Amino acid sequence: MMNRKFTFKNVVRRVSTIQNLRTPHLRNRSDTLSETRSSVGDEEVNKGPTVVYENTFQLAPKDSQKFPTKKAEDILKNTFLTHLLDAKYNGETCKNLTIQITETVKTQVKAELGSNNRFKIVVLVIIGSNQGQGARVASRCLWYPQYDRFAQYEYHNESLFAVGVVYGVYYE
């Protein structure tokens, strides 16, 4: 058995050899791996290998693309008032009503943000029976507080209560 000394240079060379074997379409491309030559007058100048840049990603939202918290609250309020103004609590109807309200709020908030946004929209709507009991709705999220925002709205009448939360989480 041959005792081979592994250095950082050997390991890097091995990894790059393995990567080249996995991507044969790159080995045949003359513009990425071969040297580029251009002639200036009569002499040829060797510029070296062509540099291939990777994609760049936007890591922070622009000032004009912040999550509109106030508009999201207004959308929640208007949707709750139109769907729940004269509603009575019933388990089956409130189940379907919750799905309908959630989809309505999500589409309206996405329309408000426009098509060129980088926010993931999460909508949470809870409808329960109002029988004089107390209820607390809590959530925990892992996010970046400079860019990620939320909006909430509470509604209650004689027979039901509803809580809606819209999360706008910025993703890269």
Side-chain angles (χ1 to χ4, degrees), residues 20-123:
N20 286 340
L21 291 175
R22 288 183 184 162
T23 55
H25 61 281
L26 289 179
R27 282 187 281 144
N28 296 333
R29 291 187 54 180
S30 62
D31 59 339
T32 57
L33 296 177
S34 67
E35 296 180 351
T36 306
R37 296 182 182 175
S38 65
S39 60
V40 178
D42 292 321
E43 66 179 18
E44 289 188 15
V45 177
N46 188 357
K47 291 185 178 179
T50 302
V51 178
V52 179
Y53 294 102
E54 293 186 12
N55 293 337
T56 59
F57 296 98
Q58 183 180 351
L59 300 177
K62 297 176 184 172
D63 290 334
S64 63
Q65 293 179 339
K66 300 278 180 162
F67 184 74
T69 306
K70 181 63 178 159
K71 290 181 182 178
E73 284 180 11
D74 292 341
I75 290 170
L76 273 171
K77 180 180 178 181
N78 292 336
T79 306
F80 277 7
L81 290 177
T82 56
H83 286 88
L84 301 175
L85 192 60
D86 296 326
K88 301 283 184 201
Y89 182 78
N90 182 357
E92 290 301 315
T93 57
C94 285
K95 175 184 171 183
N96 297 330
L97 197 57
T98 302
I99 295 170
Q100 184 180 4
I101 290 172
T102 302
E103 290 299 319
T104 304
V105 169
K106 185 170 77 170
T107 54
Q108 287 181 3
V109 170
K110 282 187 176 184
E112 185 66 40
L113 285 171
S115 63
N116 192 15
N117 70 55
R118 299 178 71 101
F119 283 96
K120 180 67 117 178
I121 305 299
V122 179
V123 180

